[in-house]
């Protein structure tokens, strides 16, 4: 079709959509570029190109594209929502919150914007406000598994009780192939003493994502706490051991000391470095418990709660561990 009519913007745009559907973002962006050059006033090409940029982790050009969508169509609520996601990726929660709120002002039925704003409340530790946002989102979109998953995380951080498990149950019912609902539910089962259920959840998560190191790490921890031989050494053959969190894997396999692992966590990006340090502290706590070093584990759990980002599963797990042990953070 392009060979017959190379100046038809819609053909370039539609082929870009097809490339996006195949997750080939570079080819999609090239086609959206051409579509925009032929019709620079069509907001949908900018919108989809923004999605493609964001999928590549290139948030600045994504934001620029959403800016252009909003300039051309100020009532495009999803453009504000998606720009908010890009701001979150850039750690600018203030702008993200404003964008989600603007999206809701334009379209009060946009469930995903309430859910995304709930994520920001949750990140701030404002769990009741987060849950209220998720309640609104679920009322608008009761079949969206991710919203139940996100509300489960808020309940997990607020109370760590059956309300969180119920939300993860519902998320799994709606989308049984989303591994993170299993992993978060597995953490709750783990620290409530339901080791068999925890192991089953992490086995499912690891089966869905055998290349994801954190699921392999958690499954190994649960297996070893349950008195079985951990599978981490075998699982490592399916992991990329050239990148993070490979040093944590080696620490848990006793191939590297915690101090040496901290040395491997150095990063030019201070946010990433901080996150790596938090992860090392938490998994070192679990390693200490396996060795019977309860006091050291307690100190590390408390350090994790005090210093780790609230969006990290390690933060949620450390809180659950302290509740399990009957002590305060």
């Amino acid at each position: 079709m392009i060979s017959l009519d190379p100046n038809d913007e819609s053909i370039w745009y539609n082929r870009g959509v097809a490339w996006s559907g195949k997750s080939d973002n570079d080819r999609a962006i090239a086609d959206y570029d051409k579509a925009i050059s032929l019709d620079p006033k069509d907001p949908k090409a900018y919108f989809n190109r923004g999605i493609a940029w964001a999928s590549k982790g290139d948030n600045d050009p994504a934001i620029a594209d959403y800016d252009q969508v909003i300039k051309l169509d100020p009532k495009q609520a999803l453009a504000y929502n998606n720009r908010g996601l890009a701001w979150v990726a850039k750690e600018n929660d203030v702008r993200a919150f404003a964008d989600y709120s603007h999206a809701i002002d334009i379209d009060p039925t946009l469930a995903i914007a309430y859910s995304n704003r709930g994520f920001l409340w949750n990140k701030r530790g404002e769990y009741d406000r987060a849950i209220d946002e998720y309640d609104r989102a679920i009322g608008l979109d009761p079949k969206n598994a991710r919203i139940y998953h996100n509300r489960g995380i808020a309940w997990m951080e607020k109370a760590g009780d059956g309300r969180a498990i119920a939300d993860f149950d519902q998320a799994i019912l709606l989308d049984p192939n989303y591994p993170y609902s299993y992993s978060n539910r597995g953490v709750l089962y783990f620290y409530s003493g339901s080791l068999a259920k925890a192991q089953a959840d992490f086995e499912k998560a690891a089966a869905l994502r055998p290349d994801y190191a954190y699921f392999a790490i958690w499954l190994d921890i649960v297996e070893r706490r349950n008195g079985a031989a951990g599978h981490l050494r075998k699982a490592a053959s399916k992991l990329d051991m050239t990148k993070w969190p490979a040093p944590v894997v080696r620490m848990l396999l006793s191939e590297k000391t915690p101090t040496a692992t901290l040395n491997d966590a150095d990063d030019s990006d201070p946010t990433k470095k901080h996150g790596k340090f938090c992860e090392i502290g938490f998994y070192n706590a679990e390693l200490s418990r396996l060795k019977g070093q309860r006091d050291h584990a307690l100190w590390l759990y408390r350090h994790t709660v005090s210093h780790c980002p609230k969006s990290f599963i390690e933060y949620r797990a450390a809180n659950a561990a302290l509740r399990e042990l009957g002590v305060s953070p």
Side-chain angles (χ1 to χ4, degrees), residues 94-107:
V94 173
R95 287 192 172 186
F97 192 93
D99 272 350
Y100 296 147
S101 297
H102 206 131
I104 289 167
D105 289 340
I106 294 170
D107 183 1

Side-chain angles (χ1 to χ4, degrees), residues 143-155:
K143 299 297 184 182
N144 191 316
R146 299 295 187 276
I147 302 174
Y148 286 98
H149 171 86
N150 291 343
R151 190 175 68 178
I153 289 174
W155 279 121

Side-chain angles (χ1 to χ4, degrees), residues 291-325:
K291 294 177 179 178
Q293 300 167 352
R294 183 179 185 276
D295 290 343
H296 189 230
L298 276 175
W299 184 88
L300 288 167
Y301 285 142
R302 288 184 170 125
H303 188 271
T304 300
V305 170
S306 298
H307 293 88
C308 284
K310 291 181 173 61
S311 59
F312 277 35
I313 192 171
E314 291 81 11
Y315 170 84
R316 298 192 290 277
N319 270 306
L322 291 172
R323 285 194 294 267
E324 176 200 15
L325 294 169

